[in-house]
Amino acid sequence: MTGSDGNSGYVVAAYNLQECLHKGLLKTNKQAANGDRCRAKVLTVETMNPNVKRVEYAVRGPIVQRAVQLEKELKQGAKKPFTEVIKANIGDAHAMGQKPITFFRQVLALCAYPALLEEEKFPEDAKQRARRILAACGGHSIGAYSASQGIECIRQDVSRYIEKRDGGIPSNPDNIYLSTGASDAIVTMLKLLVCGEGRQRTGVMISIPQYPLYSAALADLAAVQINYYLDEDKSWSLDVAELRRSLNAAREHCNPRVLCIINPGNPTGQVQSRQCIEDVIRFAKEERLFLMADEVYQDNVYAEGCKFHSFKKVLFEMGPEYSSTVEMASFHSTSKCFMGECGFRGGYMEVINMDPAVKAQLIKLVSVRLCPPVPGQALMDLVVNPPQPDEPSYTTFVKEKTAVLAALAEKASITEQAFNTMPGFTCNPVQGAMYTFPRISIPQKAIDKAKELGQVPDMFYCMKLLEEEGICLVPGSGFGQRDGTFHFRMTILPPTEKLKIVLQRIKDFHLRFTQEFS
C-alpha cells in the first residue's frame, strides 16, 4: 500500500502515546506482565486492526489539528502574528461564508417542523415539496428510518434528473442508491469489489494527485493501490498511455479490477474532455475494469471551452458495444456544486450493468447501516428537483445559484492569476471543482531541514505557513505527487476579499521562506 502523506500522522500518534506513558495513563506490556495484567487494556495500538493504522487522511491531518489548537490559543488571548486561522484546507462552502440556498432550507425547515406548513411566510412550492417528502416517510416524519436504498420517490426524482442531464438516456430508479454523501457510496462499492489474496488481491487504479478518501479506503480494505499520474504539464490531463503503463506494472503483483476517475478533478481542478472520457471507457472495456466515476463537482465548471460530460452519457452514446457491457458506478453529492451542504451528508450512486446477484448483495450491504440520513435524502431530492419556471421560488433560486457559481468562477481566475505572478509558483488553470493545486519551489536547505525534522518538505512548508500566517492548507504529499515536486491544495471558497488577503499572505510568506533557506 503506497502512503500518501509521509509519516506525519504516525509522528503525532507516537508522540501522544509516549506522553500518555510518561504520565502513567497507560501501562506498558512489561508493567502488565509484572502483576498488573488484570488492568491491561484489551485494545491497544499493538492489538488493534493493523489496516486502520495504515489509514491516512491528509485533509484532516496534523496541520488541521494544529490549526484547531491555534484557534483555541487565540481565544485564550495568546499573541500570534495573525488574528484568525483561515482554514482553506477543505471544500466546506458554508464554513467559508457561503449562504445556503433559500428554497432548500425552507423545505428542510418544513420537513423538520411540519407545523410550519400552516405559516403563510413559506411559498407554496416549498410546502408542496415538503408534503410530498413527508408523505413518503414513516409516520410522516423525517425522524423515521427509510428503506435502506433510500426513499422511493426521491430515487425516482434522481432518475428523472439523470435522464434530463444526459439528454433522455434512460435511468432506472432501481439502480439508484441514496447514500451518506458520495463518500459512503464510494466506500460501499470498494467493499464489494475488493477480494483475493496475494497476487490475486484486487488492485484499484487511482489518479495521482488523488482525493485521500480513496487511499484511506483502500488501506482500510487492505486493497492494492495502483497509482496513475495526471500530466501536470498538460493542465493535469489524463493520458490512456499512462493508464496502460500503470496497469501493466501492477499486474506483476496484483489483480487490477477497478479504475477510479474524479471529474471535475480534486485536487487538481481539471475538466475532462469528451474525447478523454471515450478513451477511458474504451480502455476499461478492453482491460475488463469496473469504472467508478466520481462526479460530485459536475456543476463546478468555469473555464472557457470546458464542459461537464457525464461518464454515463458518453458510455451510452458510444453504442451497445459499450453501454451493454461496461460496468460502472457514478456518484453525486449535496456537499459541492452550488449547494455546499456538507453537513447534511446527502448523496447518491447509480450503478450500470451490475450483475443482479451482486445487486442483491449490495442491498444487503447497505441495509446493515439501516438507511442514509433522511434529511440528507430530502436535500438530495431538492437538488435534483429544484423550483421550475412556473413556480414562485424559481426566480430567487436561479438568482442564488447563478451568483454562487459566478463567484466561484471569478475566484478560480483570481487564484490562478495570483499564483502565476508569484516567484516560485506555477499554477494550472482551475477549470472546475473548488481547489487550486499550485506547484511550489522549495529551496534545498528547507528540504534538508524538513528531513532533519522527519517531515516531508511540503508538510514543513505548510506547517510553517500556518504558524506564521494562520493559513491552513493541505500539503501536496497528502494527495500524492511525482517525486521531486511539491504542491499544496487550497480551496477557492473564501469570500473574494478574504481570498485576496490569503493570496497576499502566501506571497509574503513564500518570499520570507525562500530568503530564510537560501
Side-chain angles (χ1 to χ4, degrees):
M1 183 70 207
T2 303
S4 62
D5 191 26
N7 294 318
S8 51
Y10 300 146
V11 170
V12 171
Y15 172 79
N16 292 338
L17 180 61
Q18 290 299 321
E19 184 179 37
C20 288
L21 286 169
H22 177 71
K23 292 178 178 179
L25 299 176
L26 293 175
K27 303 287 186 181
T28 64
N29 289 339
K30 184 175 181 181
Q31 287 171 321
N34 291 337
D36 203 15
R37 190 177 302 277
C38 62
R39 295 180 60 187
K41 298 291 186 184
V42 173
L43 180 62
T44 68
V45 173
E46 290 78 18
T47 62
M48 69 180 287
N49 183 340
N51 292 339
V52 174
K53 289 189 282 186
R54 287 193 285 270
V55 170
E56 295 180 6
Y57 190 64
V59 174
R60 291 178 181 254
I63 286 183
V64 181
Q65 294 166 20
R66 177 57 182 154
V68 171
Q69 187 178 353
L70 285 170
E71 285 181 319
K72 292 179 180 178
E73 292 175 9
L74 285 170
K75 287 179 181 177
Q76 293 166 358
K79 299 297 182 183
K80 302 288 180 185
F82 45 86
T83 57
E84 68 170 328
V85 175
I86 300 175
K87 293 180 181 174
N89 61 297
I90 195 166
D92 191 350
H94 291 190
M96 287 283 99
Q98 181 178 310
K99 300 300 182 186
I101 299 295
T102 301
F103 181 76
F104 292 170
R105 289 302 182 90
Q106 287 175 329
V107 178
L108 290 170
L110 291 164
C111 288
Y113 188 52
L116 293 174
L117 288 164
E118 306 305 319
E119 298 283 342
E120 294 183 0
K121 65 178 69 174
F122 289 89
E124 191 56 36
D125 53 347
K127 292 182 178 181
Q128 289 173 353
R129 295 292 201 290
R131 290 189 186 103
R132 180 170 178 264
I133 291 167
L134 289 170
C137 295
H140 294 257
S141 170
I142 60 170
Y145 287 131
S146 76
S148 297
Q149 196 170 344
I151 296 171
E152 185 175 4
C153 71
I154 297 178
R155 291 190 289 112
Q156 291 169 349
D157 286 346
V158 170
S159 284
R160 281 190 283 269
Y161 162 83
I162 292 171
E163 286 185 2
K164 183 178 179 181
R165 180 197 69 186
D166 293 343
I169 293 168
S171 174
N172 186 342
D174 288 342
N175 291 334
I176 304 297
Y177 296 78
L178 302 183
S179 58
T180 308
S183 302
D184 171 52
I186 289 166
V187 173
T188 296
M189 274 308 311
L190 289 172
K191 284 182 180 179
L192 282 181
L193 285 157
V194 173
C195 66
E197 299 295 336
R199 291 186 62 174
Q200 290 305 306
R201 190 64 173 169
T202 295
V204 179
M205 301 181 70
I206 66 172
S207 61
I208 299 296
Q210 54 105 17
Y211 177 49
L213 164 69
Y214 290 91
S215 56
L218 297 180
D220 188 32
L221 295 169
V224 180
Q225 178 177 317
I226 305 172
N227 297 337
Y228 67 87
Y229 288 88
L230 302 177
D231 190 343
E232 184 172 10
D233 293 334
K234 296 181 180 178
S235 297
W236 299 111
S237 64
L238 191 161
D239 181 15
V240 170
E242 168 61 14
L243 290 179
R244 200 169 300 282
R245 178 209 63 77
S246 173
L247 181 77
N248 290 337
R251 281 182 169 149
E252 298 295 320
H253 58 88
C254 69
N255 179 20
R257 302 178 67 217
V258 189
L259 172 57
C260 299
I261 306 287
I262 307 175
N263 180 48
N266 175 11
T268 44
Q270 84 284 4
V271 178
Q272 291 182 5
S273 67
R274 181 192 170 87
Q275 183 60 55
C276 176
I277 293 171
E278 287 186 12
D279 292 343
V280 170
I281 290 171
R282 289 190 186 93
F283 176 79
K285 180 180 183 298
E286 291 169 8
E287 303 296 345
R288 299 190 74 247
L289 297 171
F290 190 103
L291 263 178
M292 292 178 60
D294 183 339
E295 299 175 332
V296 302
Y297 298 99
Q298 56 191 256
D299 287 328
N300 299 110
V301 177
Y302 318 121
E304 188 175 344
C306 290
K307 180 182 178 181
F308 171 75
H309 302 275
S310 80
F311 265 77
K312 181 188 176 184
K313 183 175 189 289
V314 176
L315 174 68
F316 276 76
E317 289 178 347
M318 290 173 70
E321 178 186 356
Y322 297 94
S323 62
S324 63
T325 58
V326 175
E327 298 161 75
M328 185 178 80
S330 62
F331 308 90
H332 196 17
S333 167
T334 62
S335 300
K336 308 303 177 184
C337 297
F338 63 94
M339 302 84 72
E341 295 277 14
C342 303
F344 279 97
R345 309 308 299 133
Y348 74 73
M349 166 176 70
E350 182 182 30
V351 297
I352 306 295
N353 293 323
M354 180 173 278
D355 185 309
V358 176
K359 282 182 71 175
Q361 295 296 318
L362 173 57
I363 291 171
K364 178 183 73 175
L365 184 59
V366 299
S367 71
V368 172
R369 49 97 162 113
L370 298 177
C371 70
V374 175
Q377 294 186 52
L379 179 59
M380 191 79 251
D381 189 56
L382 304 176
V383 172
V384 300
N385 185 23
Q388 299 304 301
D390 59 346
E391 293 181 316
S393 299
Y394 178 78
T395 301
T396 300
F397 171 78
V398 171
K399 181 180 178 182
E400 291 176 346
K401 174 182 176 180
T402 302
V404 170
L405 293 175
L408 287 170
E410 179 190 21
K411 289 185 283 190
S413 176
I414 289 170
T415 305
E416 175 200 341
Q417 291 176 22
F419 280 131
N420 281 328
T421 60
M422 294 183 194
F425 284 79
T426 55
C427 183
N428 275 312
V430 184
Q431 297 173 342
M434 296 178 170
Y435 316 97
T436 182
F437 198 69
R439 184 169 174 173
I440 54 177
S441 173
I442 297 182
Q444 186 60 47
K445 284 186 179 179
I447 294 172
D448 295 340
K449 181 64 175 179
K451 290 179 180 177
E452 180 185 321
L453 296 172
Q455 296 180 353
V456 290
D458 50 12
M459 168 68 81
F460 173 69
Y461 181 97
C462 289
M463 190 66 83
K464 201 166 175 60
L465 173 66
L466 174 63
E467 296 287 350
E468 295 184 15
E469 297 289 349
I471 297 170
C472 181
L473 306 177
V474 189
S477 50
F479 302 90
Q481 55 197 351
R482 286 194 180 275
D483 290 344
T485 68
F486 307 108
H487 305 77
F488 58 71
R489 188 188 79 164
M490 186 185 85
T491 179
I492 62 172
L493 289 173
T496 303
E497 292 310 308
K498 182 172 282 190
L499 179 65
K500 290 177 180 178
I501 293 170
V502 168
L503 291 166
Q504 183 61 49
R505 286 187 185 177
I506 292 173
K507 179 179 180 179
D508 294 343
F509 166 80
H510 189 78
L511 290 172
R512 291 199 313 271
F513 182 88
T514 302
Q515 290 170 358
E516 180 181 352
F517 292 101
S518 292

